[in-house]
Amino acid sequence: MAKWRDITVEGIGFLLKDAEELGRAVVETVEEGVGFALKDAEEFVQPLIKGVEKCRELGATECAGTVVELVKEAASTVGNDCFKDKTTVQDYNPPDPTALQYSTFKDASTNVRLIEGLTYRENRVRLSTFSILPPQLKAEVPQNLKTKRSLQLHPLALKRLKLMNEAWMKEYGGKEITSQSGGRLTTSTGKPLAIASGYRDVGEAKFKYLLNVNDSRTRKAPAVVNAVKLGEKNVKRLFEIFLISEYGSVSKGRKLLAWHSPHGTGLAMDFGRNGLEPKSKTNSAQKKTTLFLWLKDNAHKFGLSPYTREAWHWEVLVPRENWSTGQEFVQNENYNIRVVEEGVKTKLKTTNRKFPEEFAV
């Protein structure tokens, strides 16, 4: 797996000027696909093929063709190379993440390495690795750092947001910056790094309103209203009915509306000022703003990593033990740290969707 991946990344290096970023995207997409153990290996390969098609449009036909062949070869070997203890990819059934909504933090023996931060490199926070942020660890975000009346973060994430804001304001506070409005680039004055979203309820707690046929959000989906009137009380099933009604299918809907997300841990935040906003329609423009470019170069110095598909979404991966206690883990005020943690038993990293296997008896 590693061999074809390295070759693919090397090949793509000749296709675009920003080869390093595209290469990382390929690696991360493959790792995410494999970690999620998709029932159909082709499903995670499709994004790579689409990327290659874009390369063709830029004129790199010959190299792109080579990458396509490598991708096809990879798809055929996923079941054999990545799941040696399973017969096929279809045989792998990861723990149902929807059952985590009422779970408590589970102990597991892990090894933690703290390495130097990496510029604009994902280090994903998984809800299944941690749990729902408990009340005692919900730290209220100061008014100048939020766009809503009440927002909470995990204390370690909030600490880093404050420090990063100090650096941002020192460089751009009150100065003219490139911003965006409605997907169009504009200029504005640099303001504090306010977030539009921090901790959020997940799963059944988040979508409990679907049980109320008088709720304005529920009334938007007559199919959900009918299901409730017929006696349906399972919020998860009502949620899926809503997705079908709103987006045409569950799979399409889940890409736009998540049943659960890293926000449930308190370690994820969505920026909502200085041109960044949690809106996919303006994502391209957001990635051209002064703030995004600054985050891309500096966020890792404060322990933040990106979700590269969304300009506004950033995360703070911390060791599991420190998440559960809220205690700081860096020394000498050096926050330019990337956490690498893996289970002693399974060797799976906490960024891997399969990490809950570490809890299995």
Side-chain angles (χ1 to χ4, degrees), residues 96 178 216 263 337:
D96 183 2
T178 300
S216 59
H263 283 280
I337 294 294

Side-chain angles (χ1 to χ4, degrees), residues 198-215:
Y199 166 78
R200 294 203 302 256
D201 285 334
V202 298
E204 188 164 335
K206 181 178 180 180
F207 297 102
K208 189 176 181 179
Y209 67 83
L210 292 173
L211 289 169
N212 182 3
V213 296
N214 294 317
D215 190 290

Side-chain angles (χ1 to χ4, degrees), residues 95-109:
D96 183 2
T98 62
L100 294 166
Q101 53 192 310
Y102 297 120
S103 69
T104 55
F105 182 75
K106 298 178 181 179
D107 291 327
S109 296

Side-chain angles (χ1 to χ4, degrees), residues 104-108 129-134 136-137 154-156 265 267 318-327:
T104 55
F105 182 75
K106 298 178 181 179
D107 291 327
T129 290
F130 299 94
S131 184
I132 308 303
L133 185 66
Q136 67 271 20
L137 286 176
H154 188 283
L156 296 179
T265 66
L267 297 175
V318 302
R320 296 179 74 251
E321 181 178 356
N322 299 87
W323 179 87
S324 67
T325 64
Q327 295 181 349

Side-chain angles (χ1 to χ4, degrees), residues 238-250 253-254 257:
L238 292 174
F239 172 69
E240 292 178 344
I241 292 173
F242 177 82
L243 293 183
I244 295 171
S245 174
E246 188 75 8
Y247 304 107
S249 71
V250 173
R254 279 186 174 276
L257 190 64

Side-chain angles (χ1 to χ4, degrees), residues 26-67:
V26 171
V27 173
E28 288 160 0
T29 300
V30 172
E31 288 178 342
E32 182 175 355
V34 172
F36 197 44
L38 294 173
K39 292 182 179 180
D40 183 355
E42 289 285 342
E43 186 174 342
F44 89 83
V45 172
Q46 290 306 313
L48 304 186
I49 295 178
K50 289 180 180 178
V52 171
E53 292 298 332
K54 183 175 182 180
C55 293
R56 281 204 180 97
E57 294 174 5
L58 298 174
T61 306
E62 183 177 351
C63 192
T66 302
V67 177

